[in-house]
Amino acid sequence: AEEAAQQKAAEAAPEELAVGGEGGAGIVVASGTRNRAKSEKTGPWLPFVRFDTSAVPKAFFTEDHLYIQHVRSGNYFTSEGEAVTAAGDAFDDNCVFLLEIEGKDPGTPILDGMSVLLRHYASGNYLTAEDDFGDLKLEAKRPRGEKNERQLFDINKRSRPAELEHDDILFLESWLSNFIEVDTGSEARTLKARRWKQGKQQQLVVRKKRVLEAQTTELARQMQFQSFDLDGNSVVGKTEMGFLVQQVNAEADLDGIMVKVDPEQVGGAVLDTFAAWADGGEDLSEE
């Protein structure tokens, strides 16, 4: 009897296929036999789609590699020797920083209001604000009691939750209660911490390196789109979206989803609008 039960369970289990690149497919397509005991409906058992919970988390932890972008200029923090500038326009090792917290082990969540050290990945040196008029620079880590507070920066987020996450907008406050900004008047675009106000010139965005590397490819999005496009007409209509989304969560806001995937109200989602929605990582799972 036990063997028969195991065989029955194996036959009922859906066959899954992760769609997308390694480490962040985001969507899993599965097909199988409907459990008739739970539904009186007849007809084909349609493939369903769920978000892959194994995707790279967006939250930041100590020792995570990240990029820091200056919102107004669009450039990334980078370094040449001791100088730190916002002149980076591409993702490379010289633009990578890590967050540390004094006395905390790697893997500690980064929260709004925390004081952090910013270590430059390539050089191993730390961002330092010596005063409120000179340029910020990279220096070796200072021991406690030897003006080490000049290498500490407080995180000030623009929004909730308290956890720092990929694509969050924030301000970095120095030990002098001033906020890091980019000297856009200089050709070198050096960094300074000379003003106490939080304005557009001081807005920064943090981007997690692993999240960027794990983003699904264009081919993966095409495959996902095709799994939704049940009639093959290159448009995912509300009925098709409903068939699949409600297999994951019967309470999902289908009308709200259609507003996102069909903003121009052309009758359904085309590949570009579907990809934009999928890249947003909306969680369809039931709470």
Side-chain angles (χ1 to χ4, degrees), residues 66-67 77-79 88-97 120-121 209:
L66 61 93
Y67 301 99
F77 286 13
T78 188
S79 171
D89 58 2
F91 298 126
D92 59 39
D93 286 348
N94 221 30
C95 293
V96 177
F97 288 80
H120 183 238
Y121 171 74
K209 187 171 184 283

Side-chain angles (χ1 to χ4, degrees), residues 83-158:
V84 187
T85 67
D89 58 2
F91 298 126
D92 59 39
D93 286 348
N94 221 30
C95 293
V96 177
F97 288 80
L98 298 87
L99 298 176
E100 295 182 6
I101 301 175
E102 290 278 21
K104 298 293 184 180
D105 294 329
T108 300
I110 305 295
L111 305 178
D112 185 26
M114 281 184 166
S115 293
V116 299
L117 296 153
L118 284 95
R119 173 160 55 95
H120 183 238
Y121 171 74
S123 67
N125 290 327
Y126 292 78
L127 192 64
T128 306
E130 197 65 45
D131 48 48
D132 59 359
F133 56 87
D135 296 338
L136 273 65
K137 55 186 178 180
L138 293 176
E139 289 188 0
K141 187 175 182 179
R142 297 181 179 182
R144 184 169 297 189
E146 296 186 19
K147 298 182 179 180
N148 65 301
E149 72 279 357
R150 302 180 187 201
Q151 294 180 327
L152 292 173
F153 298 89
D154 292 345
I155 292 175
N156 288 258
K157 281 187 58 174
R158 287 282 313 268

Side-chain angles (χ1 to χ4, degrees), residues 168-237:
D168 271 347
I169 295 177
L170 54 74
F171 302 90
L172 289 174
E173 185 177 1
S174 75
W175 67 287
L176 292 167
S177 299
N178 294 331
F179 295 93
I180 291 180
E181 63 181 70
V182 177
D183 186 0
T184 53
S186 71
E187 186 175 348
R189 295 188 180 275
T190 54
L191 306 184
K192 297 181 183 293
R194 59 187 178 185
R195 305 184 196 188
W196 60 266
K197 75 170 188 174
Q198 297 180 352
K200 290 184 178 180
Q201 190 63 19
Q202 291 80 28
Q203 283 185 2
L204 307 171
V205 174
V206 285
R207 296 203 160 91
K208 192 171 180 176
K209 187 171 184 283
R210 286 182 60 217
V211 170
L212 293 173
E213 291 173 344
Q215 285 181 340
T216 53
T217 63
E218 181 179 351
L219 176 60
R221 286 293 179 236
Q222 291 174 352
M223 294 173 65
Q224 292 161 358
F225 180 78
Q226 289 167 5
S227 75
F228 277 76
D229 182 20
L230 300 175
D231 62 7
N233 68 345
S234 299
V235 176
V236 176

